[in-house]
Amino acid sequence: MKFRRLLSKKAKSNPNSEQKNLDEQVIKLKGKFKEKSVKPELNISLLDLAVKNNIDWQFACTNGNCARCRCYVQDGAELLSDVNSAENSRLDLQEINDGYRLGCQAMIVRIGPITAVNKSYY
């Protein structure tokens, strides 16, 4: 009888661990003056996510030509799409190696913690 009671007891969830898990799924975006932690979404660019959440991310074209949406990805680069040809033509190899991306081209492909800072040339 005692054995059955032990098996039937549900494991209690730890609310602190659940909150920590949710905190780890946040994307932190820093614009020119605004900084915000936002809910991640798949298959959306960092620029689109910033605009959707009213973060003052600089941009002019949204297709990789102007490079105003250039950003530094501090954390979570592995959760973004690979560097593409638009980025290769606008950013030099050293910038890419240092963690810079174009916000309009860097798509979120996996959920997890990302921190990106808009670092426009202008």
Side-chain angles (χ1 to χ4, degrees):
M1 189 67 113
K2 188 176 185 180
F3 181 71
R4 284 187 188 160
R5 264 188 287 159
L6 289 174
L7 288 177
S8 66
K9 282 189 177 180
K10 291 183 180 177
K12 290 184 180 179
S13 62
N14 182 348
N16 291 336
S17 66
E18 288 176 12
Q19 183 60 44
K20 183 179 178 187
N21 191 28
L22 291 174
D23 291 343
E24 291 173 358
Q25 304 303 316
V26 169
I27 297 180
K28 296 177 185 171
L29 299 174
K30 299 176 185 177
K32 190 170 184 177
F33 300 107
K34 292 181 182 178
E35 177 179 338
K36 198 182 262 189
S37 294
V38 300
K39 182 180 174 187
E41 296 180 40
L42 288 176
N43 302 315
I44 188 171
S45 71
L46 292 176
L47 173 62
D48 288 339
L49 191 60
V51 170
K52 183 176 180 177
N53 287 280
N54 299 314
I55 298 167
D56 57 339
W57 204 277
Q58 297 180 46
F59 70 97
C61 72
T62 71
N63 60 14
N65 288 326
C66 73
R68 285 190 178 214
C69 63
R70 176 181 173 257
C71 61
Y72 174 65
V73 180
Q74 291 178 324
D75 297 304
E78 69 281 359
L79 304 173
L80 300 172
S81 59
D82 292 335
V83 174
N84 64 23
S85 60
E87 292 173 291
N88 280 321
S89 66
R90 298 293 178 256
L91 303 172
D92 65 39
L93 184 58
Q94 187 61 49
E95 286 177 300
I96 292 170
N97 289 338
D98 288 344
Y100 287 90
R101 299 288 306 267
L102 295 181
C104 67
Q105 301 299 305
M107 302 291 287
I108 300 166
V109 295
R110 288 189 309 166
I111 299 295
I114 299 171
T115 302
V117 182
N118 184 213
K119 297 266 188 179
S120 182
Y121 293 115
Y122 311 102

